[in-house]
PDB file of all heavy atoms in Angstrom:
ATOM      1  N   ALA B 107      41.829 -71.766 -34.722  1.00 95.00           N
ATOM      2  CA  ALA B 107      42.373 -73.149 -34.668  1.00 95.00           C
ATOM      3  C   ALA B 107      41.806 -73.913 -33.432  1.00 95.00           C
ATOM      4  O   ALA B 107      41.562 -75.100 -33.489  1.00 95.00           O
ATOM      5  CB  ALA B 107      43.889 -73.122 -34.538  1.00 95.00           C
ATOM      6  N   GLU B 108      41.498 -73.160 -32.408  1.00 95.00           N
ATOM      7  CA  GLU B 108      40.892 -73.834 -31.191  1.00 95.00           C
ATOM      8  C   GLU B 108      39.458 -74.234 -31.442  1.00 95.00           C
ATOM      9  O   GLU B 108      39.027 -75.317 -31.054  1.00 95.00           O
ATOM     10  CB  GLU B 108      40.982 -72.837 -30.014  1.00 95.00           C
ATOM     11  CG  GLU B 108      42.389 -72.690 -29.383  1.00 95.00           C
ATOM     12  CD  GLU B 108      42.485 -71.634 -28.330  1.00 95.00           C
ATOM     13  OE1 GLU B 108      41.722 -70.626 -28.336  1.00 95.00           O
ATOM     14  OE2 GLU B 108      43.430 -71.692 -27.476  1.00 95.00           O
ATOM     15  N   ASP B 109      38.731 -73.344 -32.132  1.00 93.00           N
ATOM     16  CA  ASP B 109      37.293 -73.633 -32.403  1.00 93.00           C
ATOM     17  C   ASP B 109      37.138 -74.825 -33.367  1.00 93.00           C
ATOM     18  O   ASP B 109      36.137 -75.561 -33.313  1.00 93.00           O
ATOM     19  CB  ASP B 109      36.609 -72.391 -33.050  1.00 93.00           C
ATOM     20  CG  ASP B 109      36.364 -71.325 -31.992  1.00 93.00           C
ATOM     21  OD1 ASP B 109      36.459 -71.667 -30.728  1.00 93.00           O
ATOM     22  OD2 ASP B 109      36.078 -70.202 -32.336  1.00 93.00           O
ATOM     23  N   THR B 110      38.089 -75.019 -34.344  1.00 92.00           N
ATOM     24  CA  THR B 110      37.936 -75.999 -35.301  1.00 92.00           C
ATOM     25  C   THR B 110      38.631 -77.312 -34.862  1.00 92.00           C
ATOM     26  O   THR B 110      38.538 -78.333 -35.572  1.00 92.00           O
ATOM     27  CB  THR B 110      38.593 -75.597 -36.615  1.00 92.00           C
ATOM     28  OG1 THR B 110      39.970 -75.276 -36.396  1.00 92.00           O
ATOM     29  CG2 THR B 110      37.916 -74.431 -37.228  1.00 92.00           C
ATOM     30  N   GLY B 111      39.370 -77.305 -33.758  1.00 93.00           N
ATOM     31  CA  GLY B 111      40.074 -78.481 -33.304  1.00 93.00           C
ATOM     32  C   GLY B 111      41.442 -78.644 -33.937  1.00 93.00           C
ATOM     33  O   GLY B 111      42.173 -79.524 -33.537  1.00 93.00           O
ATOM     34  N   LEU B 112      41.733 -77.784 -34.944  1.00 94.00           N
ATOM     35  CA  LEU B 112      43.031 -77.882 -35.618  1.00 94.00           C
ATOM     36  C   LEU B 112      44.170 -77.653 -34.648  1.00 94.00           C
ATOM     37  O   LEU B 112      45.285 -78.078 -34.864  1.00 94.00           O
ATOM     38  CB  LEU B 112      43.055 -76.889 -36.802  1.00 94.00           C
ATOM     39  CG  LEU B 112      44.265 -77.000 -37.714  1.00 94.00           C
ATOM     40  CD1 LEU B 112      44.193 -78.323 -38.472  1.00 94.00           C
ATOM     41  CD2 LEU B 112      44.284 -75.788 -38.671  1.00 94.00           C
ATOM     42  N   ILE B 113      43.858 -76.955 -33.530  1.00 96.00           N
ATOM     43  CA  ILE B 113      44.904 -76.615 -32.531  1.00 96.00           C
ATOM     44  C   ILE B 113      45.644 -77.906 -32.015  1.00 96.00           C
ATOM     45  O   ILE B 113      46.801 -77.796 -31.670  1.00 96.00           O
ATOM     46  CB  ILE B 113      44.321 -75.824 -31.386  1.00 96.00           C
ATOM     47  CG1 ILE B 113      45.385 -75.222 -30.492  1.00 96.00           C
ATOM     48  CG2 ILE B 113      43.434 -76.707 -30.498  1.00 96.00           C
ATOM     49  CD1 ILE B 113      46.189 -74.105 -31.154  1.00 96.00           C
ATOM     50  N   LEU B 114      44.943 -79.017 -32.039  1.00 96.00           N
ATOM     51  CA  LEU B 114      45.613 -80.219 -31.490  1.00 96.00           C
ATOM     52  C   LEU B 114      46.775 -80.676 -32.422  1.00 96.00           C
ATOM     53  O   LEU B 114      47.841 -80.942 -31.938  1.00 96.00           O
ATOM     54  CB  LEU B 114      44.576 -81.376 -31.369  1.00 96.00           C
ATOM     55  CG  LEU B 114      43.537 -81.121 -30.250  1.00 96.00           C
ATOM     56  CD1 LEU B 114      42.569 -82.242 -30.185  1.00 96.00           C
ATOM     57  CD2 LEU B 114      44.232 -80.860 -28.835  1.00 96.00           C
ATOM     58  N   ASP B 115      46.513 -80.705 -33.731  1.00 95.00           N
ATOM     59  CA  ASP B 115      47.539 -81.080 -34.656  1.00 95.00           C
ATOM     60  C   ASP B 115      48.602 -79.947 -34.717  1.00 95.00           C
ATOM     61  O   ASP B 115      49.867 -80.237 -34.646  1.00 95.00           O
ATOM     62  CB  ASP B 115      47.024 -81.236 -36.096  1.00 95.00           C
ATOM     63  CG  ASP B 115      46.298 -82.569 -36.230  1.00 95.00           C
ATOM     64  OD1 ASP B 115      46.526 -83.469 -35.426  1.00 95.00           O
ATOM     65  OD2 ASP B 115      45.458 -82.724 -37.125  1.00 95.00           O
ATOM     66  N   LEU B 116      48.156 -78.751 -34.750  1.00 96.00           N
ATOM     67  CA  LEU B 116      49.050 -77.592 -34.860  1.00 96.00           C
ATOM     68  C   LEU B 116      49.910 -77.505 -33.589  1.00 96.00           C
ATOM     69  O   LEU B 116      51.208 -77.339 -33.589  1.00 96.00           O
ATOM     70  CB  LEU B 116      48.236 -76.305 -34.994  1.00 96.00           C
ATOM     71  CG  LEU B 116      48.922 -74.996 -35.352  1.00 96.00           C
ATOM     72  CD1 LEU B 116      49.714 -75.199 -36.683  1.00 96.00           C
ATOM     73  CD2 LEU B 116      47.900 -73.907 -35.546  1.00 96.00           C
ATOM     74  N   GLY B 117      49.359 -77.690 -32.416  1.00 97.00           N
ATOM     75  CA  GLY B 117      50.040 -77.660 -31.204  1.00 97.00           C
ATOM     76  C   GLY B 117      51.082 -78.724 -31.045  1.00 97.00           C
ATOM     77  O   GLY B 117      52.180 -78.592 -30.472  1.00 97.00           O
ATOM     78  N   GLU B 118      50.761 -79.922 -31.588  1.00 97.00           N
ATOM     79  CA  GLU B 118      51.698 -81.028 -31.536  1.00 97.00           C
ATOM     80  C   GLU B 118      52.889 -80.697 -32.389  1.00 97.00           C
ATOM     81  O   GLU B 118      54.083 -80.935 -32.062  1.00 97.00           O
ATOM     82  CB  GLU B 118      50.999 -82.363 -31.980  1.00 97.00           C
ATOM     83  CG  GLU B 118      51.960 -83.491 -31.995  1.00 97.00           C
ATOM     84  CD  GLU B 118      51.226 -84.855 -32.256  1.00 97.00           C
ATOM     85  OE1 GLU B 118      50.031 -84.970 -31.996  1.00 97.00           O
ATOM     86  OE2 GLU B 118      51.906 -85.792 -32.705  1.00 97.00           O
ATOM     87  N   TRP B 119      52.612 -80.102 -33.553  1.00 97.00           N
ATOM     88  CA  TRP B 119      53.650 -79.765 -34.487  1.00 97.00           C
ATOM     89  C   TRP B 119      54.577 -78.665 -33.823  1.00 97.00           C
ATOM     90  O   TRP B 119      55.805 -78.762 -33.963  1.00 97.00           O
ATOM     91  CB  TRP B 119      53.081 -79.203 -35.796  1.00 97.00           C
ATOM     92  CG  TRP B 119      54.131 -78.706 -36.740  1.00 97.00           C
ATOM     93  CD1 TRP B 119      54.850 -79.458 -37.647  1.00 97.00           C
ATOM     94  CD2 TRP B 119      54.594 -77.362 -36.909  1.00 97.00           C
ATOM     95  NE1 TRP B 119      55.723 -78.694 -38.330  1.00 97.00           N
ATOM     96  CE2 TRP B 119      55.541 -77.372 -37.898  1.00 97.00           C
ATOM     97  CE3 TRP B 119      54.216 -76.132 -36.312  1.00 97.00           C
ATOM     98  CZ2 TRP B 119      56.286 -76.240 -38.292  1.00 97.00           C
ATOM     99  CZ3 TRP B 119      54.900 -75.001 -36.662  1.00 97.00           C
ATOM    100  CH2 TRP B 119      55.907 -75.042 -37.704  1.00 97.00           C
ATOM    101  N   VAL B 120      53.987 -77.695 -33.186  1.00 98.00           N
ATOM    102  CA  VAL B 120      54.732 -76.692 -32.497  1.00 98.00           C
ATOM    103  C   VAL B 120      55.694 -77.290 -31.457  1.00 98.00           C
ATOM    104  O   VAL B 120      56.924 -77.029 -31.399  1.00 98.00           O
ATOM    105  CB  VAL B 120      53.846 -75.642 -31.790  1.00 98.00           C
ATOM    106  CG1 VAL B 120      54.641 -74.695 -30.887  1.00 98.00           C
ATOM    107  CG2 VAL B 120      53.080 -74.828 -32.861  1.00 98.00           C
ATOM    108  N   LEU B 121      55.135 -78.189 -30.660  1.00 98.00           N
ATOM    109  CA  LEU B 121      55.959 -78.907 -29.593  1.00 98.00           C
ATOM    110  C   LEU B 121      57.076 -79.675 -30.230  1.00 98.00           C
ATOM    111  O   LEU B 121      58.241 -79.514 -29.790  1.00 98.00           O
ATOM    112  CB  LEU B 121      55.059 -79.830 -28.823  1.00 98.00           C
ATOM    113  CG  LEU B 121      54.402 -79.317 -27.530  1.00 98.00           C
ATOM    114  CD1 LEU B 121      53.347 -80.329 -27.090  1.00 98.00           C
ATOM    115  CD2 LEU B 121      55.464 -79.091 -26.476  1.00 98.00           C
ATOM    116  N   ARG B 122      56.776 -80.445 -31.254  1.00 98.00           N
ATOM    117  CA  ARG B 122      57.777 -81.289 -31.904  1.00 98.00           C
ATOM    118  C   ARG B 122      58.917 -80.436 -32.480  1.00 98.00           C
ATOM    119  O   ARG B 122      60.087 -80.694 -32.275  1.00 98.00           O
ATOM    120  CB  ARG B 122      57.207 -82.218 -32.938  1.00 98.00           C
ATOM    121  CG  ARG B 122      58.221 -83.032 -33.651  1.00 98.00           C
ATOM    122  CD  ARG B 122      57.659 -83.998 -34.735  1.00 98.00           C
ATOM    123  NE  ARG B 122      56.805 -85.045 -34.099  1.00 98.00           N
ATOM    124  CZ  ARG B 122      55.478 -85.076 -34.285  1.00 98.00           C
ATOM    125  NH1 ARG B 122      54.910 -84.171 -35.101  1.00 98.00           N
ATOM    126  NH2 ARG B 122      54.772 -86.059 -33.772  1.00 98.00           N
ATOM    127  N   THR B 123      58.459 -79.327 -33.247  1.00 98.00           N
ATOM    128  CA  THR B 123      59.422 -78.489 -33.937  1.00 98.00           C
ATOM    129  C   THR B 123      60.343 -77.777 -32.906  1.00 98.00           C
ATOM    130  O   THR B 123      61.539 -77.713 -33.078  1.00 98.00           O
ATOM    131  CB  THR B 123      58.701 -77.448 -34.784  1.00 98.00           C
ATOM    132  OG1 THR B 123      57.778 -78.175 -35.676  1.00 98.00           O
ATOM    133  CG2 THR B 123      59.647 -76.661 -35.628  1.00 98.00           C
ATOM    134  N   ALA B 124      59.717 -77.258 -31.844  1.00 98.00           N
ATOM    135  CA  ALA B 124      60.512 -76.553 -30.817  1.00 98.00           C
ATOM    136  C   ALA B 124      61.490 -77.448 -30.147  1.00 98.00           C
ATOM    137  O   ALA B 124      62.633 -77.066 -29.863  1.00 98.00           O
ATOM    138  CB  ALA B 124      59.546 -75.913 -29.810  1.00 98.00           C
ATOM    139  N   LEU B 125      61.076 -78.682 -29.855  1.00 98.00           N
ATOM    140  CA  LEU B 125      61.952 -79.599 -29.138  1.00 98.00           C
ATOM    141  C   LEU B 125      63.064 -80.042 -30.058  1.00 98.00           C
ATOM    142  O   LEU B 125      64.249 -80.154 -29.660  1.00 98.00           O
ATOM    143  CB  LEU B 125      61.198 -80.790 -28.630  1.00 98.00           C
ATOM    144  CG  LEU B 125      60.220 -80.559 -27.503  1.00 98.00           C
ATOM    145  CD1 LEU B 125      59.268 -81.661 -27.280  1.00 98.00           C
ATOM    146  CD2 LEU B 125      61.002 -80.265 -26.217  1.00 98.00           C
ATOM    147  N   GLN B 126      62.800 -80.286 -31.339  1.00 98.00           N
ATOM    148  CA  GLN B 126      63.852 -80.605 -32.304  1.00 98.00           C
ATOM    149  C   GLN B 126      64.854 -79.457 -32.468  1.00 98.00           C
ATOM    150  O   GLN B 126      66.042 -79.704 -32.608  1.00 98.00           O
ATOM    151  CB  GLN B 126      63.277 -80.977 -33.690  1.00 98.00           C
ATOM    152  CG  GLN B 126      62.284 -82.180 -33.707  1.00 98.00           C
ATOM    153  CD  GLN B 126      62.998 -83.477 -33.539  1.00 98.00           C
ATOM    154  OE1 GLN B 126      64.244 -83.607 -33.715  1.00 98.00           O
ATOM    155  NE2 GLN B 126      62.275 -84.516 -33.304  1.00 98.00           N
TER     156      GLN B 126
END
Side-chain angles (χ1 to χ4, degrees):
E108 286 172 336
D109 286 344
T110 57
L112 189 65
I113 192 69
L114 292 179
D115 284 340
L116 192 55
E118 181 174 335
W119 177 84
V120 169
L121 268 169
R122 179 179 294 111
T123 306
L125 290 168
Q126 299 286 347

